[in-house]
Amino acid sequence: MKTDIEIAQSATMLDIKEVAEKIGATGDDIEQYGKYMAKVSNQFLDKIKDNENGKLILVTAINPTPAGEGKTTVTIGLADALREQGKKAVVAMREPSLGPCFGIKGGAAGGGYAQAVPMEKLNLHFTGDFHAITSANNLMCAMLDNTLKFGNPLNIDPKRIVVKRCMDMNDRTLRNVIIGMGNNGDGVVRQDHFMITVATEVMAVFCLADSLEDLKARLERIIVAYTYDNEPVTAKELKCVGAMTVLLKDAIRPNIIQTLENTPVFVHGGPFANIAHGCNSIRATKTAMKCADYVITEAGFGADLGAEKFMDIKCRMANISPDAVVLVATIRALKYNGGVAKEDLGAENLDALNKGIVNLGKHIENLKKYGVPVVVTANRFVSDTDAEMDVLRKYVESHGCKFTVSTVWGEGGKGGQELCNAILDIMANEKPDYHSIYTDDMPLVDKIRTIASEIYGAADVTFSPEASRALTKITDMGFGNYPVCIAKTQYSLSDDAKLLGRPEGFTVHIREAYVSAGAGFVVAIAGSIMTMPGLPKSPAAERIDIDENGETFGLF
């Protein structure tokens, strides 16, 4: 079979104006970025604002493994399957980060015959949204250092600067740096830090803002530092928010592309779910819901991260909720959770499957706590045996869920018909009763404990002295009613990446906490998770190249 990039390069794409017609947009309602990509106009957003909302379907997964789960592939394949049945369906998903593309994870355009295209452009520079976010964040940082250089009129304590510079690339050497070296005119010497663009508060603000005005108001609230008197200093006080908003004015409009089967796809925003809130922009999701009967969206990494944050942060802020949830699992990943090495996952191993399947069971239990119907789908690989599928089916049904098999990677929308029918059936016969797992008025410490115990299955939570002081300060500042965004490893339900399956009796360690006042949530960092990832020993960048005809290869 062809590689993902070969399939994408041989796709027959429609002109983006034809794709836009499927969501009720004319050529005047979009701004084209070439022949196959566009942004929707503000006029179009205003035109559809009174339309009835379509059904929202969230796609999530078990904890990710090196074997791959195919969550985005299933998301795209389900939308194509609905379109095959004559349903008006669209996808709303995140933009890929360059860091994983050149690192180890790969892109985020789906795979096989369930992809969003143009795949190369989507996975690389796309419409420039991430560049705009990076520039806006770094402008804020430059303005902060500029005020330090010219007398520090805001009384900023250089040792209590909390905003970090960013770049959209994995570069561990920039986690801790010294800036201002050189001559007197080169600024104030201090320690600084970088994070990856998708982990910044500017990215979170971008994805949670409802409008340009809301974006500006949220940017104003970003806390950049504290004074010598321990008072917060905001971006508004740096007088940089107007310029930041100008940099983001085009980026904030949702992007539209298509699947291999020409289904419309909104791709907008891209916070990581392990170190940020892991969902595409509210504007894109709401836009999609106004111009389709069925919207399929996804949340990053496993359900303990992306789905929890979708339910407890995004739904709360956007006043939306899913009508159904698709939980993606693979036989290979479950066997990996059962102790099988990656190179041996192709062989039948019922013992390992039975051992690792408890990871899936925990995610089913977790999702049901939100009151939304759950369908489990097995993203089937060629090596999966009928005996293994039978074990998985019986396990899922014993947990009170519909079980389906998806073969969208090899068959596109045709391979998603079983899942499609199950989703349509469950939405016709079950009414969701969505609710968050904690209330706004719960103390921040209790919110963290609730997530750790209810979702991760932790026996206890410990807080470093620094984290405890920070949570007290955040509450005293008036942010105690904010939801919590926990940053932790994606590979385990715990904060220890090595604890696979369904660990029990473990303790979650909160080592740091801070408020993202503009985004509207409190971040709690668990374990050793880093906000600036590093490249692996053999990064994907070593295998990516371009030929004399301008054709990219090795991307995936």
Side-chain angles (χ1 to χ4, degrees):
M1 182 172 169
K2 296 178 180 179
T3 63
D4 288 353
I5 193 169
E6 288 170 340
I7 293 170
Q9 288 172 341
S10 62
T12 301
M13 290 186 282
L14 296 179
D15 188 295
I16 196 62
K17 287 183 286 188
E18 295 181 67
V19 178
E21 289 175 2
K22 297 184 179 186
I23 62 167
T26 67
D28 292 334
D29 291 325
I30 61 173
E31 180 183 351
Q32 291 189 230
Y33 283 66
K35 190 175 181 180
Y36 303 114
M37 307 187 303
K39 281 186 172 290
V40 295
S41 69
N42 292 324
Q43 290 76 12
F44 176 71
L45 298 176
D46 188 60
K47 184 168 74 175
I48 64 173
K49 66 181 181 181
D50 295 325
N51 290 0
E52 185 177 347
N53 284 336
K55 300 284 189 181
L56 182 62
I57 302 161
L58 172 67
V59 180
T60 185
I62 61 174
N63 289 99
T65 70
E69 286 61 58
K71 173 166 47 63
T72 306
T73 302
V74 170
T75 299
I76 292 168
L78 175 56
D80 285 338
L82 285 161
R83 281 272 173 180
E84 282 195 9
Q85 292 201 17
K87 309 297 184 184
K88 192 174 182 181
V90 302
V91 175
M93 58 186 250
R94 295 173 299 160
E95 299 178 45
S97 165
L98 289 177
C101 286
F102 294 112
I104 191 171
K105 181 179 176 291
Y113 287 92
Q115 293 190 59
V117 286
M119 182 263 259
E120 293 165 73
K121 291 182 181 295
L122 170 60
N123 278 311
L124 299 175
H125 300 289
F126 199 32
T127 59
D129 292 348
F130 281 20
H131 299 311
I133 292 166
T134 301
S135 297
N137 181 88
N138 292 343
L139 170 63
M140 178 171 57
C141 294
M143 292 286 278
L144 186 151
D145 281 296
N146 196 56
T147 196
L148 291 181
K149 163 65 180 172
F150 291 103
N152 193 11
L154 297 175
N155 197 33
I156 293 171
D157 181 350
K159 293 185 177 181
R160 300 210 62 205
I161 293 172
V162 294
V163 70
K164 299 176 182 179
R165 287 172 162 80
C166 72
M167 62 185 298
D168 188 33
M169 188 60 61
N170 295 357
D171 193 345
R172 60 173 59 83
T173 61
L174 294 178
R175 289 172 184 162
N176 302 286
V177 296
I178 301 296
I179 63 171
M181 301 288 286
N183 298 321
N184 186 51
D186 296 323
V188 175
V189 177
R190 68 176 182 88
Q191 184 178 15
D192 201 4
H193 313 271
F194 273 77
M195 61 200 314
I196 194 164
T197 298
V198 289
T200 62
E201 185 173 358
V202 175
M203 173 63 82
V205 163
F206 179 89
C207 289
L208 295 170
D210 247 339
S211 64
L212 191 66
E213 294 74 20
D214 186 31
L215 173 72
K216 190 171 184 179
R218 288 174 178 272
L219 292 173
E220 288 179 344
R221 297 197 297 268
I222 292 176
I223 295 174
V224 298
Y226 290 85
T227 67
Y228 285 107
D229 300 321
N230 201 27
E231 294 300 319
V233 178
T234 64
K236 181 179 182 179
E237 293 173 90
L238 293 178
K239 301 178 182 178
C240 62
V241 172
M244 292 173 69
T245 308
V246 168
L247 286 171
L248 297 170
K249 69 178 179 66
D250 293 321
I252 197 174
R253 291 185 287 120
N255 309 295
I256 183 171
I257 53 174
Q258 62 192 292
T259 71
L260 292 171
E261 299 182 19
N262 312 123
T263 297
V265 182
F266 288 96
V267 190
H268 199 225
F272 280 174
N274 57 348
I275 49 181
H277 76 281
C279 307
N280 69 284
S281 77
I282 285 177
R283 290 196 97 193
T285 301
K286 285 189 169 182
T287 300
M289 292 174 71
K290 291 295 184 183
C291 56
D293 296 327
Y294 299 93
V295 177
I296 301 86
T297 190
E298 54 96 26
F301 291 128
D304 57 316
L305 289 169
E308 183 274 315
K309 293 169 183 179
F310 183 95
M311 299 289 195
D312 290 321
I313 297 176
K314 182 172 180 175
C315 289
R316 182 183 250 111
M317 292 191 186
N319 195 29
I320 58 175
S321 60
D323 295 278
V325 176
V326 176
L327 178 57
V328 180
T330 67
I331 295 289
R332 293 162 60 86
L334 293 172
K335 288 190 292 190
Y336 185 87
N337 270 278
V340 177
K342 182 181 178 182
E343 58 271 18
D344 298 325
L345 292 173
E348 182 179 283
N349 191 327
L350 299 181
D351 289 340
L353 176 58
N354 279 302
K355 183 180 178 182
I357 206 168
V358 293
N359 184 268
L360 171 61
K362 177 59 175 164
H363 287 297
I364 292 173
E365 293 171 20
N366 288 348
L367 290 169
K368 286 187 173 182
K369 293 176 182 178
Y370 292 98
V372 181
V374 180
V375 175
V376 175
T377 193
N379 184 23
R380 186 159 193 171
F381 285 67
V382 175
S383 61
D384 298 339
T385 69
D386 290 342
E388 289 173 328
M389 278 293 166
D390 190 52
V391 168
L392 184 53
R393 180 182 298 276
K394 289 178 179 177
Y395 184 86
V396 170
E397 291 176 349
S398 73
H399 280 67
C401 285
K402 286 182 177 290
F403 175 79
T404 65
V405 177
S406 296
T407 55
V408 296
W409 184 84
E411 299 182 289
K414 178 183 176 183
Q417 289 304 316
E418 186 179 346
L419 172 59
C420 177
N421 291 334
I423 283 291
L424 292 173
D425 179 67
I426 205 170
M427 288 193 296
N429 295 292
E430 293 188 38
K431 187 175 181 181
D433 181 27
Y434 160 78
H435 48 267
S436 177
I437 61 168
Y438 57 78
T439 59
D440 290 342
D441 58 1
M442 286 178 65
L444 292 172
V445 168
D446 290 345
K447 290 173 184 173
I448 294 169
R449 289 189 181 278
T450 297
I451 297 171
S453 61
E454 293 291 319
I455 303 301
Y456 308 158
D460 196 11
V461 181
T462 63
F463 298 84
S464 71
E466 294 80 7
S468 292
R469 286 194 295 269
L471 290 169
T472 299
K473 173 69 175 177
I474 291 167
T475 302
D476 291 343
M477 290 165 61
F479 301 116
N481 64 327
Y482 275 12
V484 171
C485 178
I486 298 182
K488 78 166 185 71
T489 180
Q490 65 269 33
Y491 298 114
S492 172
L493 285 161
S494 73
D495 60 0
D496 180 351
K498 296 178 181 178
L499 296 180
L500 301 180
R502 182 175 182 168
E504 296 179 344
F506 62 89
T507 298
V508 169
H509 307 278
I510 304 298
R511 62 180 173 87
E512 183 182 348
Y514 58 88
V515 61
S516 291
F521 54 68
V522 173
V523 179
I525 298 182
S528 58
I529 193 72
M530 296 288 182
T531 55
M532 169 57 88
L535 293 171
K537 184 177 181 180
S538 178
E542 295 178 347
R543 296 172 287 281
I544 297 172
D545 208 338
I546 191 168
D547 64 22
E548 63 276 9
N549 298 315
E551 290 289 327
T552 301
F553 60 90
L555 192 54
F556 308 106

